[in-house]
Amino acid sequence: MIHENILECIGNTPLIKLSRLFPERSMTVLAKMEMLNPGGSIKDRPALYMINEGLKAGIIKKGSHIVESSSGNLAIALAIACKIHQLKFTAVVDPKIASANLHMLKLYKANIEMVTEKDENGGYLKTRINTVKKLCEKLPDAVWINQYANPDNWKSHYFGEAEEIIRQMDGKPDYLVVGASTSGTIMGVSRRLKEEFPDLKIIAVDIVGSVLFGGTSGPRDIPGIGASAVPALLSPEEIDHVIYVDDYESALGCRELLEHEGIFAGGSSGSSVSAIKKLIPGIAEGSCVLTLLPDRGDRYLDLIYQDEWFEMVRHKHFSQQHLRPQNPVLQKVF
Ligand code: PMP
């Protein structure tokens, strides 16, 4: 089969068993390899879906200038989609963006607006959104994709990887473990899978320092997971539990994934691996746990895979242990 363009290669990612990393007898941990999308991440799916639906609805037209706030992966995915559809694109990014992502965006010839001021939560999300709003007032033909509130974000995952998982699974999953940021992935995947598997338990993974599920705002280094404001897409009542991990636990998860499975993954994949390690002792033998590995490790070479940074977060993890709740394994959200 010959594809017309790179956008047609998005999706149809494999589902693999992580049996070396999770050798516990009779437990199955399955991972959807979203990192294998052509733009390098799961965000190819919402980028393509939001652009296509915008074009269909006439909100996006020839000559439109797409504007979006992104920590990196969505920006790269939109840069590709805009190139194929010949649309102008401005990415509003912050200093936490991985240097490789910034370099790639420049190569794709995206316009880049770098914000520098932190918001009152100590993150950049609100500053980025304000910058998007100002750009939309200034730029003719600007269209704000708004991944934090656009229902086509969660729908891309509902019709995308969730549908594929249903086709790929032999049995039924008992737990879905997903890292959250805009929450488009967890909302979309869980809504579709619960139609098929009503007993499925939905476990969100959040990072210490994120405010998504009522956590206290604080410093965190890993991009892609967590948020400094609660997105409109998030419906916490649809989520059964949240498991918190910190930067160190996420990085450790990445390094274990590499060592045992030969999978070179990004930060939020490591967050999910660590969350599953916390989950397993508390669940029934024979359970099947499903997760997604959202992006590859290349963009994190100077963070997660850099020994000085790893030592720094390891030290922080152990020196601040007394500040964390004693048994943060399963926390009911609301
Ligand atoms: N992992 C990575 C690497 C991401 O880039 C993102 C999106 N920021 C997520 C997880 C979380 O996905 P969502 O925004 O759909 O919650």
Side-chain angles (χ1 to χ4, degrees), residues 42-334:
I42 194 167
K43 298 301 274 192
D44 284 7
R45 294 187 192 260
L48 177 65
Y49 198 86
M50 291 188 289
I51 294 278
N52 281 347
E53 293 304 299
L55 286 165
K56 270 192 232 162
I59 298 164
I60 301 172
K61 308 182 213 28
K62 197 172 183 299
S64 287
H65 189 148
I66 305 299
V67 182
E68 185 54 304
S69 153
S70 165
S71 64
N73 283 329
L74 183 76
I76 287 170
L78 283 172
I80 299 170
C82 288
K83 192 163 282 300
I84 300 299
H85 286 288
Q86 296 181 313
L87 298 163
K88 291 185 257 340
F89 174 50
T90 294
V92 179
V93 303
D94 66 51
K96 272 171 57 184
I97 187 169
S99 58
N101 285 17
L102 193 58
H103 194 161
M104 283 168 70
L105 283 175
K106 286 179 184 160
L107 292 172
Y108 281 120
K109 300 222 164 37
N111 305 301
I112 294 157
E113 278 290 324
M114 174 75 74
V115 304
T116 48
E117 262 175 55
K118 287 190 175 172
D119 57 33
E120 69 271 20
N121 291 325
Y124 292 98
L125 186 55
K126 287 187 182 169
T127 326
R128 281 203 257 137
I129 301 294
N130 287 337
T131 306
V132 167
K133 287 180 180 164
K134 279 188 201 140
L135 281 171
C136 286
E137 283 165 17
K138 201 175 81 183
L139 293 170
D141 306 311
V143 177
W144 178 20
I145 289 287
N146 197 359
Q147 60 165 331
Y148 306 99
N150 187 336
D152 290 326
N153 176 356
W154 71 259
K155 285 182 189 169
S156 74
H157 303 285
Y158 179 100
F159 293 113
E161 63 270 34
E163 204 59 53
E164 293 170 21
I165 288 167
I166 292 164
R167 286 202 306 269
Q168 289 166 312
M169 291 275 315
D170 283 336
K172 69 172 185 61
D174 300 295
Y175 295 88
L176 173 71
V177 178
V178 184
S181 181
T182 67
S183 75
T185 309
I186 193 161
M187 290 293 118
V189 175
S190 64
R191 281 174 185 156
R192 180 68 190 97
L193 291 187
K194 283 200 98 160
E195 289 171 0
E196 208 69 18
F197 311 110
D199 297 333
L200 181 70
K201 290 275 172 278
I202 310 302
I203 317 280
V205 183
D206 198 9
I207 193 133
V208 173
S210 156
V211 304
L212 273 181
F213 299 98
T216 314
S217 163
R220 55 196 166 86
D221 281 353
I222 296 182
I225 183 165
S228 57
V230 180
L233 289 184
L234 179 63
S235 295
E237 66 282 2
E238 293 177 49
I239 292 168
D240 295 294
H241 297 285
V242 58
I243 298 180
Y244 284 98
V245 294
D246 63 15
D247 283 346
Y248 167 68
E249 290 167 321
S250 304
L252 191 64
C254 286
R255 285 166 176 241
E256 288 176 346
L257 204 47
L258 182 61
E259 170 153 357
H260 298 285
E261 300 283 354
I263 297 174
F264 185 38
S268 63
S269 301
S271 309
S272 289
V273 162
S274 274
I276 295 169
K277 292 223 154 171
K278 293 184 183 192
L279 175 75
I280 280 181
I283 63 177
E285 273 213 23
S287 297
C288 174
V289 180
L290 180 64
T291 192
L292 297 104
L293 303 183
D295 68 355
R296 296 196 282 265
D298 321 36
R299 297 170 189 170
Y300 302 81
L301 277 172
D302 51 7
L303 195 72
I304 287 163
Y305 297 99
Q306 202 227 44
D307 288 342
E308 289 79 38
W309 180 86
F310 186 67
E311 273 314 306
M312 191 257 298
V313 291
R314 193 171 82 91
H315 178 76
K316 192 170 153 197
H317 172 86
F318 287 107
S319 61
Q320 295 186 353
Q321 212 164 18
H322 61 287
L323 299 176
R324 285 193 295 276
Q326 279 308 295
N327 187 13
V329 176
L330 288 184
Q331 300 188 22
K332 188 88 184 89
V333 200
F334 302 131

